[in-house]
Amino acid sequence: MNDKKLIERIRDHPEGFGLNGTYYPTAMFLTGIDVGRSGGMLRGFTEWLVVRRGECNNLYWHQLVLLDLFPDMRLQGWKDPDHLTPDQHRQAVEHLFSLILEFLDARSNPRQLGRMYTQYEAMYAHIQG
């Protein structure tokens, strides 16, 4: 099964994968799948999110997804289940799947992927010195 079909299946039937609709367990589950696929499924996802945001940072994709949806969110304690309301969890999980599917489409286009990495490198060129 390709990555996109797998993500769609998990999105459409989360309970079949032991997920309860909350953000952190869903993000960790997807991280586990990525590790199980030798880091290939989400390789470049963090960089893609950074370029999309247009802002250098040292955040991991779990946090970038939340900031994309909730720009004013304080990330301190973001793993705490009480940090998000049930509605925010639902929104965050939906947004996560939407972003991953959008990324997988971008990743499948070598030119688009190359441009993204070029933009990412340009954003950090002044830091790497």
Side-chain angles (χ1 to χ4, degrees):
M1 176 179 304
N2 71 33
D3 293 341
K4 188 171 182 177
K5 288 184 190 285
L6 177 60
I7 293 300
E8 289 170 339
R9 180 173 280 173
I10 296 167
R11 177 198 62 196
D12 295 344
H13 304 286
E15 65 285 344
F17 294 89
L19 298 173
N20 64 1
T22 56
Y23 181 74
Y24 186 69
T26 302
M28 291 301 98
F29 182 78
L30 295 173
T31 297
I33 290 174
D34 184 50
V35 169
R37 291 185 170 214
S38 300
M41 183 175 74
L42 297 177
R43 183 176 294 123
F45 187 49
T46 299
E47 294 84 354
W48 181 80
L49 288 167
V50 167
V51 168
R52 188 174 188 273
R53 188 170 175 79
E55 180 180 285
C56 296
N57 62 61
N58 63 346
L59 302 175
Y60 196 54
W61 67 260
H62 305 105
Q63 296 161 310
L64 291 170
V65 168
L66 289 175
L67 283 179
D68 191 65
L69 182 60
F70 307 115
D72 298 326
M73 175 177 278
R74 289 185 47 227
L75 290 176
Q76 183 178 9
W78 73 275
K79 295 183 224 177
D80 179 358
D82 294 331
H83 186 250
L84 299 175
T85 67
D87 189 51
Q88 287 174 320
H89 275 289
R90 182 192 54 73
Q91 291 174 32
V93 169
E94 287 174 8
H95 193 60
L96 171 60
F97 283 115
S98 174
L99 287 173
I100 290 176
L101 290 169
E102 185 179 340
F103 164 72
L104 292 175
D105 284 340
R107 188 189 75 180
S108 69
N109 180 329
R111 292 183 69 136
Q112 189 174 354
L113 187 62
R115 280 191 300 273
M116 182 275 296
Y117 277 117
T118 299
Q119 289 174 312
Y120 181 82
E121 288 300 320
M123 288 173 67
Y124 284 91
H126 70 283
I127 296 171
Q128 297 169 355

